[in-house]
Amino acid sequence: MYKLVLFHNDTYFSNLFVYYSGIILIIKSHNPLTCTMSMTPLHLAAVHRDADEVLRLLEAGDSPKELNQNKEAAIHCTLGLPVLHPDDAKEKAERVFRILWKAAPGTVVNADESGETVLFDMVLYNYIGLLKEFVKEYPDLVFKRNNHGQCAVHVGVLNGAYDALKVLFAIEGVPQLRGRKRRTIHHFAVESGCAEMAKLCFDSYPVGIDVGDSEGSTPLGLAARYNKPLAKYYRKLGAKRKYYGGTRCMSEPDDDGDDDDDSAKDRCSGAGGVSAVSSTEQSVPTQEFTIPQPVQESAVGNSKSNSKRGGSPKCAVS
């Protein structure tokens, strides 16, 4: 007996499948995203968090190890959530994840095209129970970097994954991890623009609050340059060293409550940097760092592709 099923989402998918004795035949697939990303029926079922469909496909012989063009197995497409989603979406996604994890355990340690494992999504979307279990079994993945030089903890700080970060910060060595440009979690907290995140990072790694990155910029220096209210908060936390690009940045009037005696015209005096760069490099970089603006995410789609992490779009989510 034939059964026609239409997988459809106005934004991402429009695929018609015929089921006959457990065998799936693709009748029509005209959506460019589906074609170009080489999404298999198992990928689609994972994206839609359909556990029953995933089980049927596995029983029919679909391989959970097959990759799309972004080098993602079906399990990589499971945990992402749109901004607006049903209350049971996370529960369904975790169920699908566990089915695929059991079917192909090795896929969870594999990185996709952007260098990220499934751990990044666990952190980004705050799958706390799953995260606690996962880091116990695969502790080394916590220290794995993506192609942008960032670990899951840095992506979590940038995107406000507070609950997941509390789990990661409890792991020895994680709060001290450096990201791109050898930036600490405090630098990323400045990028997030959130005082609550700054406080969480300070509680986890207080001695790092005045540490400079590879360009000689401290968290207070970045905040004073791009986010004056956050700079005031860093002063309250005890930050002292205000450097940007290896030079000491003096305060503009009332910029962050600092009472430097230097005039505004001498705000970057080159009074000794805090990084390992040479004296000839103690100047403000020509390509300045900018604080990312808040991400405006659509109600439908994968917020992973729009989050502050870089890289190519990930599996779409309906």
Side-chain angles (χ1 to χ4, degrees):
M1 181 177 179
Y2 289 91
K3 180 182 179 183
L4 298 180
V5 179
L6 180 64
F7 278 63
H8 180 70
N9 177 290
D10 290 338
T11 307
Y12 295 104
F13 306 113
S14 184
N15 296 282
L16 187 64
F17 300 92
V18 171
Y19 290 78
Y20 178 71
S21 299
I23 300 176
I24 301 174
L25 302 174
I26 299 180
I27 302 300
K28 187 176 183 182
S29 179
H30 61 265
N31 187 283
L33 179 62
T34 304
C35 298
T36 59
M37 291 184 66
S38 306
M39 300 282 279
T40 68
L42 190 59
H43 283 88
L44 296 178
V47 165
H48 285 267
R49 301 176 290 278
D50 190 337
D52 293 335
E53 192 61 39
V54 168
L55 287 171
R56 281 196 292 267
L57 291 169
L58 291 174
E59 290 174 359
D62 280 38
S63 173
K65 298 180 181 180
E66 188 169 350
L67 307 179
N68 61 18
Q69 84 165 21
N70 286 343
K71 298 183 180 179
E72 297 166 320
I75 199 168
H76 289 89
C77 302
T78 304
L79 300 179
L81 297 170
V83 175
L84 300 179
H85 57 267
D87 293 338
D88 61 350
K90 290 185 72 171
E91 181 182 347
K92 289 182 176 180
E94 184 171 338
R95 183 186 175 198
V96 171
F97 181 90
R98 291 185 181 279
I99 292 172
L100 293 171
W101 186 4
K102 182 178 180 180
T107 55
V108 298
V109 300
N110 295 334
D112 61 18
E113 190 176 43
S114 65
E116 297 182 358
T117 65
V118 292
L119 178 66
F120 281 76
D121 275 350
M122 288 183 199
V123 172
L124 186 60
Y125 297 103
N126 284 297
Y127 287 88
I128 306 305
L130 189 60
L131 177 63
K132 290 179 179 178
E133 179 181 344
F134 196 78
V135 297
K136 286 182 179 179
E137 189 158 351
Y138 304 99
D140 292 344
L141 291 185
V142 178
F143 302 92
K144 184 176 178 60
R145 302 176 185 278
N146 63 17
N147 296 346
H148 308 284
Q150 296 176 183
C151 300
V153 66
H154 303 127
V155 173
V157 172
L158 284 171
N159 290 276
Y162 293 94
D163 294 335
L165 288 172
K166 292 174 183 177
V167 176
L168 294 182
F169 285 159
I171 300 173
E172 184 178 359
V174 170
Q176 294 80 19
L177 283 172
R178 299 289 192 100
R180 53 180 168 76
K181 298 183 180 179
R182 290 193 55 76
R183 285 183 169 155
T184 68
I185 55 175
H186 296 290
H187 292 91
F188 290 106
V190 172
E191 290 188 51
S192 76
C194 182
E196 289 82 0
M197 182 58 69
K199 182 62 167 62
L200 177 62
C201 292
F202 175 76
D203 291 342
S204 303
Y205 184 38
V207 297
I209 196 169
D210 278 327
V211 174
D213 61 15
S214 62
E215 295 179 340
S217 299
T218 62
L220 180 58
L222 290 178
R225 192 175 183 91
Y226 298 109
N227 191 327
K228 300 298 177 61
L230 193 58
K232 291 182 180 180
Y233 188 74
Y234 266 94
R235 281 293 191 187
K236 292 180 180 179
L237 291 177
K240 302 295 184 184
R241 313 183 79 177
K242 185 167 60 175
Y243 291 83
Y244 180 84
T247 64
R248 186 181 182 196
C249 294
M250 305 307 174
S251 299
E252 299 289 356
D254 299 322
D255 72 337
D256 63 351
D258 190 13
D259 192 23
D260 289 329
D261 293 330
D262 307 85
S263 63
K265 66 179 180 181
D266 296 324
R267 69 182 304 270
C268 289
S269 65
V274 294
S275 74
V277 295
S278 65
S279 59
T280 58
E281 297 171 320
Q282 301 292 320
S283 59
V284 177
T286 55
Q287 184 175 2
E288 296 185 352
F289 165 83
T290 56
I291 302 297
Q293 298 300 312
V295 179
Q296 299 295 325
E297 298 171 318
S298 60
V300 178
N302 187 357
S303 54
K304 177 176 180 179
S305 63
N306 296 322
S307 60
K308 302 172 188 176
R309 67 203 292 167
S312 57
K314 303 292 179 177
C315 296
V317 177
S318 63

